[in-house]
Amino acid sequence: MSALLTQDVSAAAQALRAGKLVAFATETVYGLGASALDETAVAGIFEAKGRPKFDPLIVHVADVAMARPYVAEWPDTAALLAERFWPGPLTLVLPKQPVISDLVTSGLPTVGIRIPDHRVARDLIRQAGVPVAAPSANRFGCISPTTAAHVAEQLGDRIDVILDGGPCRVGVESTILLLAGETPTVLRLGGVTVEEIEEAIGPVAVSTGHGTDERSETSPLAPGMLKKHYAPRSRLQLCDDIAAVPDGPRQGLLTLMPPPDASRFDAVEVLSETGDLREAAAGFFAALRRLDARNLSTIWAVRFPEEGLGRALNDRLERAAAED
Ligand code: AMP
Ligand code: MG
């Protein structure tokens, strides 16, 4: 596959609607976008980037009206901040509606949402008519791209469309503000300052930890935030081979491909008949939830092949097994 490099917004919008991957310019860097309502498309983002784990992705919308159907609450503080700082580098983290894919939020009950300060990006999203989940359009570990040519170099053979919106202004990343608890909390410092936010809505807490990627593991807020990641109530145990699973009452099985014999299990979820990791990633959280609804004593999960999306799935499994 070779990406279509174009300035045609409507072609790119149509591709997004059709579940394709579309890179587009924002005011910060080029984003790699997919419909936030399409789990397979979102799985494709992680696959194309080669990310070894699932991070929550920021959802981009064209205007406030477009954000509202996807959040379960829209407090006055959100309205004030949106009025003041959108479009712009402020991401608001709010309780999500179920229609936003779990893969977008990495199983969190909240979604980070913002309006990019880039006309072409907003036109694209408005024409697509779907909220667009997008991390930076680079391969894992590589530099974030600020031109369409950078995107083509890194991802040209892995995505569908590159919408050339010219070079990015390369602002700072967006500030991320959690509006789901008692006190508004800055999770990442960025283009909108704490002072500006406080001037608009009063005092906020700041809990940014150290790095960016590892923030949720290292920040003081982390334990709480991590627990909000989806972890099953049943005990989750990992194995490499179901032959090694001891007999026991009310056991469930989560597996990539159909097992030769699953009669020992009370509930079985097969993620892909053909072993397709993208399909597996798209259905992963939903399958885990279905198993969890069965009141099992133990859910056994067979480790995924340690390659491509399999690595991110294994990382997610290990976290879910550890969170208790
Ligand atoms: P970026 O790398 O600029 O695309 O920002 C993505 C970052 O936004 C993630 O790594 C998270 O740290 C943060 N983020 C997105 N959604 C959420 C959420 N629901 N809760 C907390 N942090 C979020
Ligand atoms: Mg990045």
Side-chain angles (χ1 to χ4, degrees):
M1 168 167 75
S2 186
L4 170 71
L5 179 59
T6 182
Q7 296 188 358
D8 182 346
V9 175
S10 72
Q14 201 177 343
L16 275 177
R17 263 202 311 280
K20 306 265 183 320
L21 299 182
V22 175
F24 62 99
T26 73
E27 74 271 37
T28 56
V29 297
Y30 271 74
L32 178 54
S35 166
L37 311 180
D38 183 331
E39 300 205 298
T40 307
V42 174
I45 291 179
F46 291 99
E47 188 174 53
K49 282 182 67 89
R51 266 209 108 101
K53 61 182 192 178
F54 299 123
D55 288 327
L57 305 177
I58 292 173
V59 171
H60 298 73
V61 292
D63 50 45
V64 173
M66 199 173 169
R68 296 288 281 105
Y70 305 110
V71 297
E73 290 165 29
W74 183 250
D76 292 345
T77 46
L80 263 168
L81 291 165
E83 167 81 17
R84 185 101 158 231
F85 298 110
W86 281 359
L90 177 66
T91 296
L92 299 179
V93 178
L94 290 155
K96 79 172 182 95
Q97 292 287 9
V99 64
I100 294 289
S101 156
D102 266 330
L103 207 50
V104 168
T105 66
S106 189
L108 289 166
T110 54
V111 59
I113 209 157
R114 82 178 188 102
I115 302 178
D117 189 12
H118 194 293
R119 177 166 298 281
V120 179
R122 289 199 304 277
D123 284 348
L124 169 70
I125 299 163
R126 188 172 292 116
Q127 286 189 33
V130 291
V132 176
S136 54
N138 53 284
R139 293 273 298 160
F140 175 68
C142 299
I143 310 278
S144 294
T146 54
T147 65
H150 291 165
V151 180
E153 269 164 39
Q154 293 194 38
L155 294 171
D157 57 348
R158 303 178 145 251
I159 67 178
D160 302 289
V161 178
I162 301 171
L163 179 61
D164 190 348
C168 301
R169 276 194 274 125
V170 200
V172 252
E173 289 178 299
S174 64
T175 300
I176 299 179
L177 182 70
L178 176 67
L179 289 179
E182 302 236 306
T183 312
T185 303
V186 174
L187 302 178
R188 177 174 81 188
L189 298 167
V192 173
T193 67
V194 173
E195 289 80 0
E196 286 172 313
I197 294 171
E198 292 194 320
E199 200 187 302
I201 60 164
V204 300
V206 178
S207 179
T208 54
H210 315 288
T212 43
D213 272 352
E214 298 307 315
R215 173 175 46 66
S216 49
E217 279 95 331
T218 51
S219 83
L221 197 77
M225 298 237 14
L226 260 187
K227 286 221 175 64
K228 286 190 215 137
H229 268 71
Y230 185 72
R233 287 163 302 158
S234 314
R235 193 162 58 117
L236 183 74
Q237 295 254 57
L238 310 191
C239 64
D240 289 307
D241 183 350
I242 66 167
V245 174
D247 283 330
R250 295 207 59 73
Q251 302 204 103
L253 179 67
L254 178 68
T255 173
L256 174 60
M257 289 175 73
D261 174 20
S263 57
R264 292 190 292 134
F265 297 93
D266 292 280
V268 176
E269 288 285 345
V270 174
L271 292 169
S272 169
E273 291 294 323
T274 58
D276 178 56
L277 288 168
R278 183 156 166 183
E279 185 186 355
F284 174 77
F285 284 101
L288 202 50
R289 279 180 206 278
R290 281 193 298 273
L291 285 172
D292 208 21
R294 297 287 303 270
N295 266 317
L296 301 161
S297 64
T298 307
I299 298 169
W300 287 91
V302 185
R303 279 197 188 80
F304 296 88
E306 188 65 15
E307 63 184 31
L309 281 175
R311 289 171 70 198
L313 285 163
N314 283 333
D315 174 74
R316 192 60 236 157
L317 275 184
E318 265 145 34
R319 284 161 196 259
E323 287 169 45
D324 206 10

